[in-house]
Amino acid sequence: MGVIKGVLKEELENSIRMKSDYERELSKLPKGSLIKKKVKGHEYYYILLREKGKVKFIYKGKVSDEEIKKYREVKEYRAKYRKLLSQVKKQVRFLRSTLRGKESI
Amino acid sequence: MEKNQYELCVKVLKRLEKAGVLKDVILIGSWCIPFYKEYFAGIKYISAIKTRDVDFLIPNPHGIKVNVNIPELLKDLGFIIGYRGAKGYIKLEHPDLVVEFLSPEKGRGTDRPIPVPKLGVNAVALRFLSLLIDNVIKVKVEDFEVLLPHPANFALHKLIIFQRRFKEEKAIKDRNSAIEILKALINKGETNTIRRVFGSLLPKWQKKVIKGLEEAKEREILSLLSVGVSTK
């Protein structure tokens, strides 16, 4: 096997492992995002999430600034990890197609 | 991808520098090669193939003074912790780069990772890494300095370890990059440095270097090393 092919094969193995690691990190993040609703001049918070294709609001009432910050961070990390996961999936597809030849991978 | 990789690597180095960790680690592995470009300025030097693995050598895992959680430090860049093997070696993963920590193996060695609690990581203990600590150079990257093994030490280390690789293609990659760097050093007029580093090696290690060069049929480099150095 050539040097380049060997490097690509190793990178493919790394990307496959990385894909499951990003999926694991995404599953560890709390589900849903925090949204604010104004009812009769009062602000209330809800967790907005999707369950079996249906949008669901879970009442949270009043939440602390700390919790708001936490949900904001979670939202950012979810978006970041999804983007990186999609990048890893593209790498896997690219590496598989590059390596596809006479030898099985 | 290569530009992104380089930029991300510099970001990682910059964060480690700001946190006060960079002075305690040496950048080793294939990522040394792009940073040697400054050292070999004006010399014919081809950058070898590099993988995503950015390896940091921690010469003294128990002597680290700063308390910095590296996984947390790199989290917002998108790095996540990946555990490898049954012993749980930690790698910090990103689609563009994988950061790993290594440490020289001591005594009889161990297959367990060496915990580095002050940095929130663990390090893989490997043989021959002490060779990369003995002679270190500083290379300027943007507005900070990175510690790298001297290219002579880097090359001789690669010549020793390529013979221990299980995968043939990895062995060839190591051997080729070692020879490329030795030739660049010769062109730079650093033949004596190569001889001096070679002369400082244990006789067993010298024999491995000679064997590696013989396998690569590098007679010119072999003849340089054999001047005034006994390998018997």
Side-chain angles (χ1 to χ4, degrees), chain A residues 11 15 21-22 24 80 91, chain B residues 52 76 78 81 84 93 95:
Chain A
E11 294 291 24
S15 289
D21 286 340
Y22 271 110
R24 181 201 67 211
K80 193 171 283 179
Q91 282 174 357
Chain B
R52 276 182 286 191
D76 71 301
I81 296 181
R84 295 285 167 263
E93 300 173 322

Side-chain angles (χ1 to χ4, degrees), chain B residues 10-206:
Chain B
V10 171
K11 272 187 194 169
V12 169
L13 294 171
K14 204 176 245 179
R15 288 211 178 180
L16 294 178
E17 199 267 337
K18 259 194 160 179
V21 183
L22 203 56
K23 60 177 177 18
D24 292 322
V25 297
I26 304 166
L27 179 65
I28 60 167
S30 59
W31 271 87
C32 276
I33 293 168
F35 293 107
Y36 280 147
K37 269 194 174 162
E38 189 195 314
Y39 188 86
F40 289 119
I43 307 287
K44 194 186 151 206
Y45 168 72
I46 302 159
S47 191
I49 306 163
K50 59 183 187 304
T51 60
R52 276 182 286 191
D53 296 353
V54 178
D55 300 327
F56 287 105
L57 171 60
I58 309 177
N60 184 9
H62 304 294
I64 291 181
K65 300 274 187 297
V66 285
N67 239 327
V68 179
N69 188 313
I70 296 179
E72 276 300 314
L73 187 74
L74 305 181
K75 194 177 171 185
D76 71 301
L77 291 176
F79 281 91
I80 55 166
I81 296 181
Y83 297 96
R84 295 285 167 263
K87 312 282 178 192
Y89 291 105
I90 288 178
K91 282 190 177 197
L92 301 176
E93 300 173 322
H94 184 284
D96 291 332
L97 287 181
V98 177
V99 176
E100 198 177 356
F101 296 89
L102 309 169
S103 190
E105 191 178 87
K106 283 178 183 159
R108 285 187 175 182
T110 173
D111 59 346
R112 287 173 189 276
I114 299 170
V116 193
K118 293 231 170 176
L119 301 183
V121 293
N122 61 33
V124 182
L126 292 176
R127 282 187 74 192
F128 306 109
L129 288 180
S130 56
L131 174 54
L132 301 176
I133 301 168
D134 296 342
N135 190 13
V136 171
I137 60 166
K138 280 181 186 170
V139 169
K140 202 164 164 61
V141 180
E142 294 192 353
D143 57 345
F144 58 91
E145 284 177 329
V146 183
L147 296 176
L148 304 176
H150 187 285
N153 293 62
F154 178 91
L156 295 183
H157 174 258
K158 286 272 180 208
L159 277 176
I160 294 172
I161 61 156
F162 95 81
Q163 300 165 60
R164 297 165 60 88
R165 292 279 195 200
F166 292 117
K167 291 180 181 172
E168 194 195 348
E169 60 278 7
K170 270 197 122 177
I172 296 169
K173 183 177 154 279
D174 279 347
R175 193 188 70 191
N176 291 351
S177 59
I179 287 161
E180 188 69 42
I181 285 178
L182 286 175
K183 285 182 176 169
L185 281 168
I186 294 165
N187 289 336
K188 199 174 183 269
E190 290 210 44
T191 310
N192 281 336
T193 314
I194 302 172
R195 279 200 198 114
R196 185 175 50 76
V197 175
F198 178 74
S200 70
L201 300 180
L202 294 169
K204 251 184 168 179
W205 294 16
Q206 286 185 348

